[in-house]
């Protein structure tokens, strides 16, 4: 499975930021991985026009229903229509600030598939849970409940993002990342069988140009989900370049 480096712009970006996508497009020459940018939903359609398929675009969340009286929400079909081919689901910021449960995330994953989007399903432990030695158990529970049993490597990607590493400049040790990715792989295989063997497992949490090569070289790390360092094309390109062919 080809690695994936995905950028999550979160609530950052205006039409002026499309220049970063142009710069990314111009500089991307036969990357060794697939590349995805998830800008705010307001920019997806304009971004699609600029990017013209040079790399993929995605949403950062979707509603589980295809349409209806859900003020402020967007359906997976709307994201697809705007030019997205992926959607990030269950990001810790959605779980924390919008009360999203594992059941919500699973419903949204089914919605993503219904619309033909690939779901990036995020899991990860808090610092207190890690310190209590509960990280493997917490991640297994999130996987079991957020990833529907119909998930395959063709329709889903897992992103392991320790909550305490997101936006903090702190990362787990390489040994800890490798151990958790190997645990996640074992959980996926035990739950999904062959479908779990090829599913990409991204690492997310303070990935930057300085640590990308080491993290991306670890066993079972199939790529990265990058927040802050994806906002500037120059930094994001360095992370993409860190993927070994
Ligand atoms: C994220 O938002 O998914 C993320 C990993 O952010 P950062 O890279 O800024 O830690």
């Amino acid at each position: 499975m080809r690695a994936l480096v995905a950028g999550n712009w979160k609530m950052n970006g205006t039409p002026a930021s499309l220049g970063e996508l142009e710069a990314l497009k111009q500089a991307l020459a036969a990357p060794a991985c697939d590349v995805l940018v998830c800008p705010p939903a307001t920019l997806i359609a304009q971004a699609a026009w600029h990017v013209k398929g040079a790399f993929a675009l995605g949403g950062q969340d979707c509603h589980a229903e295809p349409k209806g009286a859900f003020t402020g929400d967007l359906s997976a079909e709307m994201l697809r229509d705007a030019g997205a081919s992926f959607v990030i689901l269950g990001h810790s910021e959605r779980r924390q600030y919008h009360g999203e449960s594992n059941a919500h995330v699973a419903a949204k994953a089914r919605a993503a598939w219904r619309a033909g989007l690939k779901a990036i399903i995020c899991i990860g432990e808090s610092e207190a849970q890690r310190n209590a030695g509960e990280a493997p158990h917490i991640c297994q529970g999130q996987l079991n409940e957020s990833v529907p049993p119909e998930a395959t490597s063709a329709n889903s990607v897992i992103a392991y993002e320790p909550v305490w590493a997101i936006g903090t400049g702190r990362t787990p040790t390489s040994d800890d990342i490798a151990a958790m990715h190997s645990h996640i792989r074992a959980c996926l295989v035990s739950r999904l069988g062959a479908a779990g063997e090829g599913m990409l497992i991204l690492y997310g949490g303070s990935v930057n140009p300085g640590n990308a090569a080491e993290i991306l070289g670890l066993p079972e790390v199939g790529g990265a989900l990058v927040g802050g360092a994806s906002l500037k094309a120059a930094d994001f390109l360095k992370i993409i370049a860190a993927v070994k062919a």
Side-chain angles (χ1 to χ4, degrees):
M1 182 70 72
R2 207 166 134 84
L4 172 68
V5 172
N8 172 14
W9 280 16
K10 312 192 186 195
M11 198 171 72
N12 296 294
T14 64
S17 321
L18 294 170
E20 295 299 325
L21 297 185
E22 277 288 354
L24 184 59
K25 181 175 118 182
Q26 299 301 332
L28 264 188
C33 60
D34 291 333
V35 175
L36 164 68
V37 175
C38 301
T42 48
L43 293 181
I44 294 174
Q46 288 175 78
W49 186 86
H50 281 270
V51 166
K52 296 193 172 35
F55 52 88
L57 294 166
Q60 301 173 14
D61 176 48
C62 69
H63 197 279
E65 296 298 326
K67 61 183 174 145
F70 301 105
T71 303
D73 280 313
L74 293 172
S75 70
E77 283 78 0
M78 290 168 174
L79 296 175
R80 174 88 201 190
D81 188 51
S85 50
F86 285 78
V87 60
I88 299 169
L89 298 175
H91 190 283
S92 67
E93 288 150 16
R94 300 290 315 173
R95 293 178 186 262
Q96 183 179 352
Y97 302 128
H98 297 267
E100 288 191 9
S101 65
N102 290 326
H104 288 128
V105 178
K108 290 175 180 212
R110 289 195 166 98
W113 304 338
R114 180 188 67 219
L117 299 180
K118 201 159 179 169
I120 301 181
I121 301 174
C122 301
I123 61 166
E125 81 284 355
S126 68
E127 185 154 34
Q129 289 164 336
R130 172 159 285 261
N131 291 342
E134 293 169 355
H137 172 70
I138 292 292
C139 289
Q140 181 161 13
Q142 290 177 334
L143 280 175
N144 287 347
E145 293 176 32
S146 308
V147 181
E150 304 85 7
T152 68
S153 58
N155 65 22
S156 301
V157 171
I158 306 301
Y160 168 58
E161 300 205 299
V163 178
W164 52 274
I166 296 177
T168 60
R170 297 162 58 206
T171 57
T173 65
S174 292
D175 284 351
D176 285 344
I177 295 174
M180 190 58 77
H181 277 242
S182 139
H183 173 65
I184 292 168
R185 173 69 65 212
C187 294
L188 289 174
V189 171
S190 120
R191 183 164 149 71
L192 305 172
E197 279 169 21
M199 197 172 286
L200 283 180
I201 308 169
L202 311 184
Y203 169 78
S206 297
V207 175
N208 61 49
N211 62 21
E214 178 163 351
I215 292 173
L216 289 164
L218 295 170
E220 299 292 5
V221 173
L225 181 52
V226 184
S230 69
L231 292 171
K232 292 282 168 221
D235 289 339
F236 197 46
L237 280 161
K238 286 182 192 142
I239 295 171
I240 293 163
V243 175
K244 297 268 180 311

